Structures are given as C-alpha cells and as structure tokens.
C-alpha cells in the first residue's frame, strides 16, 4: 500500500513540476522563435534552463531522493541528452523536411516525453533503493 501511495504522490508532484516547467519553457520557446531564434538553437538553450530547474525540484520534491547527487545527476544528464537528441531530430524531420508548424511539432514532442521521462526518473535516475542508501 505504501508503494501505491508513493507512486501517487510522486506522480502528482512530478506532474506539477513538469506542467509548470513545460508551460514556462514552451511559452519561452514560442517567444524566442517568434523573435527570430532558430527552433533547434532555442530548444538547446531552454534544455539547459529546464534541466537545472527540474533536476532540483524532481530530486528533492517529486521523488524525495536521498541517493548520491553525482550518480543521479549523471543519469539525469544521460536521460536528457538522449531526449535532446531525439527532440532535435524530430524538429529537423518534421519542421525542416516535412515543413510542419514548429509549435505543433514541439508540443507533440513534449507530450510524448512526459510518461517516458517519469518512468525513467522513478526507476533509474532517482530509484527508491538509492534513497534507502543501497546505491
């Protein structure tokens, strides 16, 4: 029962962090691209901002992770490095090649990443075993 309670709590907190940060970052993305920024450059810039903010909130609040900072940070950066490369490839494919609207493509990317990122963070980046001192 505790595990289900923890999962529910983590899901809600992760959702709050994710929703707030993604809305902020998406609005900034639209503004910066509208001001003439290249969509792929803007995504790179905002990934750095988003990584910093969400790592802190997810480690401390969403997952209440007590494991080693360097281990969770390394895993977090690997995860988001993969997400970044996927994001840029999707923008290149659908915006540059298929000439679809960047705003819609980026929104779809963000929505697709949400459940995947939660599960990877819960079970690999901030695992419960590490919080218990087993990492």
């Amino acid at each position: 029962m505790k595990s289900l309670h923890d999962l529910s709590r983590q899901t809600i907190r992760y959702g709050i962090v994710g929703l707030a940060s993604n809305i902020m970052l998406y609005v900034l993305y639209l503004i910066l691209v509208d001001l003439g920024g290249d969509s792929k450059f803007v995504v790179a810039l905002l990934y750095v901002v988003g990584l910093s903010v969400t790592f802190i909130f997810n480690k401390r609040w969403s997952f209440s992770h007590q494991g080693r900072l360097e281990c969770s940070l390394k895993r977090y950066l690997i995860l988001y490095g993969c997400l970044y490369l996927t994001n840029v490839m999707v923008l290149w494919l659908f915006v540059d090649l298929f000439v679809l609207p960047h705003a819609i493509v980026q929104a779809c990317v963000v929505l697709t990443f949400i459940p995947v990122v939660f599960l990877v963070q819960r079970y690999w980046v901030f695992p419960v075993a590490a919080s218990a001192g087993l990492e």
Side-chain angles (χ1 to χ4, degrees):
M1 194 62 146
K2 181 176 175 1
S3 179
L4 184 58
H5 173 71
D6 288 344
L7 177 63
S8 298
R9 181 180 50 84
Q10 289 175 347
T11 302
I12 291 167
R13 288 180 175 191
Y14 173 81
I16 291 168
V17 170
L19 187 61
S21 65
N22 278 300
I23 288 171
M24 176 191 72
L25 294 170
Y26 185 63
V27 169
L28 285 172
Y29 169 83
L30 293 176
I31 291 168
L32 293 173
V33 170
D34 191 52
L35 291 172
D38 176 71
S39 61
K40 290 172 287 309
F41 175 78
V42 170
V43 164
L45 174 68
L46 293 179
Y47 258 70
V48 174
V49 173
L51 277 175
S52 303
V53 172
T54 58
F55 176 78
I56 293 165
F57 280 100
N58 282 325
K59 179 172 176 34
R60 294 179 190 234
W61 190 59
S62 301
F63 297 100
S64 302
H65 187 258
Q66 300 298 316
R68 294 187 349 243
L69 175 68
E70 58 276 358
C71 184
S72 58
L73 180 59
K74 180 175 82 174
R75 289 177 178 190
Y76 200 80
L77 293 175
I78 290 169
L79 169 62
Y80 277 89
C82 292
L83 293 172
Y84 169 75
L85 292 174
T86 302
N87 198 157
V88 170
M89 288 188 317
V90 168
L91 284 171
W92 174 78
L93 179 65
F94 290 101
V95 175
D96 295 347
L97 289 183
F98 296 140
V99 194
L100 295 174
H102 69 87
I104 294 170
V105 172
Q106 186 62 21
C108 290
V109 167
V110 168
L111 292 174
T112 303
F113 282 178
I114 291 170
V116 173
V117 174
F118 173 78
L119 292 172
V120 173
Q121 286 187 38
R122 177 175 165 77
Y123 294 106
W124 187 61
V125 177
F126 305 119
V128 173
S131 294
L134 302 174
E135 186 180 297

